[in-house]
Amino acid sequence: MWDKIKDQAKTFQQSQGTRGASGPGQGPQGHQGHQGSGRPGSSSGGSKAQLIGMFKTQLASVKTELKSGAYRDASMAMCALVAAADGQVEPAERQRVEELIVSNEVLQNFPADQLRQRFNQHVDKLVANFELGKSEALQVIAKAAKKPAEARAVIQTGMVIAGADGVFEPSEQYAIREACTALGVSPSEFGV
């Protein structure tokens, strides 16, 4: 499956033209350094870390286009949905995802306190009543569908968060597929 995602990511990157070829090492990723260096296109079989690095690079290449409130809100709903995909969110997991959010190069377009607040609101709703929280999160995610670049970036953000721990759980894949449906984006474009 990861090879399929890698192929899809390369296709997307090529469709972005020179914006996707912004070079290796697009900014430090802090504590995420073990996840990959952000170098896309390695021919060594496409490890998960390389794939996540490729998604980060693709997101960074369109960073200047991702400044709307719809993208911010949809991304935080996506992050919460991925974090709670298995029906629970441990305090350590919540903190880890918050750290990933505030250290993400693209999400630094927004004040960290806004991101934390929106993420935690969604997580709280998902923990209190998963089905209702999921429904509300998907409604917020769907608002990004008006701009295809933002819609794809929301899914890529979710993929980066889901893959940050090196494991892409079936429940996380399912959450991403549901978000794709809400955004009108084909899940197969992301290999899920």
Side-chain angles (χ1 to χ4, degrees), residues 4-182:
K4 184 177 177 183
I5 296 172
K6 178 183 173 198
D7 292 341
Q8 295 294 331
K10 281 184 179 180
T11 301
F12 175 77
Q13 186 175 15
Q14 291 168 354
S15 75
Q16 294 297 307
T18 58
R19 290 185 305 171
S22 54
Q26 272 296 320
Q29 294 300 320
H31 64 283
Q32 301 175 53
H34 68 282
Q35 296 299 327
S37 60
R39 285 179 288 223
S42 173
S43 61
S44 64
S47 73
K48 294 174 191 174
Q50 289 171 325
L51 180 65
I52 298 305
M54 188 178 305
F55 281 134
K56 286 179 185 176
T57 300
Q58 289 171 356
L59 283 166
S61 74
V62 293
K63 177 180 179 177
T64 58
E65 299 171 34
L66 301 175
K67 294 183 178 180
S68 76
Y71 169 72
R72 176 200 59 209
D73 295 348
S75 292
M76 292 306 92
M78 180 83 254
C79 291
L81 200 57
V82 167
D86 62 359
Q88 59 184 354
V89 183
E90 301 296 326
E93 181 180 18
R94 185 185 289 232
Q95 182 178 352
R96 180 183 60 82
V97 174
E98 271 189 35
E99 290 171 4
L100 290 169
I101 289 168
V102 298
S103 66
N104 182 285
E105 181 180 349
V106 175
L107 293 173
Q108 288 177 0
N109 282 336
F110 309 101
D113 59 326
Q114 286 181 10
L115 299 173
R116 280 190 187 100
Q117 176 190 16
R118 284 166 173 79
F119 169 72
N120 283 306
Q121 284 175 342
H122 284 291
V123 170
D124 290 343
K125 290 177 182 178
L126 286 158
V127 170
N129 181 330
F130 184 76
E131 289 304 317
L132 182 60
K134 180 172 80 167
S135 175
E136 289 181 22
L138 289 170
Q139 287 174 9
V140 171
I141 289 168
K143 291 178 182 178
K146 295 175 186 169
K147 295 182 180 177
E150 286 185 6
R152 284 173 177 76
V154 168
I155 300 301
Q156 289 176 321
T157 301
M159 297 286 287
V160 167
I161 297 300
D165 62 358
V167 180
F168 196 26
E169 298 289 339
S171 59
E172 294 169 335
Q173 294 176 43
Y174 183 75
I176 290 173
R177 280 194 300 273
E178 287 186 303
C180 286
T181 300

